[in-house]
């Protein structure tokens, strides 16, 4: 039976290091409305608009640097902005986040990937809550469908194998900053 000791140290460092920023993001207006059972289609469209504005620059950088990652990282399959366009065809006209976290180093990109890949897990819960509310804007939140869990596990294994002790602090700092910048962007009107 796996124990916490079997998990890569970087994952434990990321969970601990990002806990406050992650919790702050989860206390945002959209999640409060979900928890209260008062979420609306307008709330959901606002959240998707903000996510799109954050994902586009992130995914652009990820694609630009895709040759630095092996095929096992599945960089092409980890592009999800197009899922928002399926629910919101006008998404291409939405504003992009002007204050992205730096993504200049591989460690910074890995920290951001931790946040955005991890969001696929929370998206599964959001999908169920939106379905209960009768809101159809769920394509993005469905993540990778049945592949969400396995793809997250594969990402965690790759991250654990890759994270050198020297990079761990930069990966964690990038993940924290990604949570913070995403939260700030989402909460803007």
């Amino acid at each position: 039976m796996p124990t916490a000791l079997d998990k890569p140290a970087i994952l434990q460092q990321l969970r601990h290091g990002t806990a406050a920023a992650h919790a702050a993001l989860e206390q945002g207006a959209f999640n409060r409305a979900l928890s209260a059972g008062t979420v609306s289609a307008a709330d959901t469209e606002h959240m998707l608009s903000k996510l799109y504005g954050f994902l586009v620059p992130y995914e652009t950088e990820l694609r630009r640097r895709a040759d630095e990652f092996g095929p096992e990282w599945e960089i092409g399959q980890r592009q999800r902005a197009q899922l928002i366009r399926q629910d919101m065809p006008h998404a291409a006209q939405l504003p992009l986040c002007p204050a992205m976290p730096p993504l200049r180093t591989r460690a910074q990109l890995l920290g951001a990937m931790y946040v955005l890949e991890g969001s696929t897990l929370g998206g599964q819960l959001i999908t169920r809550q939106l379905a209960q509310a009768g809101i159809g804007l769920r394509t993005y939140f469905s993540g990778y469908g049945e592949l969400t869990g396995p793809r997250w596990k594969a990402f965690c294994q790759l991250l654990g194998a890759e994270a050198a002790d020297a990079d761990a602090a930069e990966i964690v700092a990038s993940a924290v900053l990604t949570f913070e910048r995403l939260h700030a962007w989402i909460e803007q009107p």
Side-chain angles (χ1 to χ4, degrees), residues 19-42:
H22 189 178
L25 178 63
E26 287 186 341
Q27 293 304 311
F30 178 74
N31 287 326
R32 286 193 315 268
L34 272 175
S35 295
T38 60
V39 70
S40 67

Side-chain angles (χ1 to χ4, degrees), residues 77-148:
Q77 289 79 17
R78 295 183 188 277
Q79 309 290 307
R80 297 187 353 237
Q82 83 279 356
L83 298 175
I84 295 173
R85 288 192 299 272
Q86 290 177 30
D87 283 332
M88 297 172 52
H90 67 284
Q93 284 80 45
L94 293 169
L96 302 181
C97 178
M100 292 296 293
L103 301 172
R104 292 182 294 274
T105 69
R106 187 176 178 95
Q108 289 171 338
L109 202 51
L110 289 172
M113 287 176 77
Y114 170 80
V115 173
L116 294 167
E117 287 300 312
S119 74
T120 62
L121 301 175
Q124 300 292 296
L125 176 61
I126 292 170
T127 297
R128 289 190 293 277
Q129 291 172 308
L130 291 175
Q132 288 175 345
I135 297 170
L137 302 168
R138 300 189 300 265
T139 305
Y140 170 79
F141 295 115
S142 298
Y144 305 119
E146 292 178 4
L147 294 176
T148 299

Side-chain angles (χ1 to χ4, degrees), residues 141-183:
F141 295 115
S142 298
Y144 305 119
E146 292 178 4
L147 294 176
T148 299
R151 210 166 257 160
W152 170 249
K153 288 177 185 173
F155 171 77
C156 289
Q157 288 174 345
L158 290 165
L159 180 60
E162 167 121 358
D165 291 341
D167 293 336
E170 189 178 6
I171 292 170
V172 173
S174 176
V176 170
L177 191 56
T178 300
F179 272 122
E180 291 171 348
R181 297 274 177 95
L182 179 57
H183 182 214

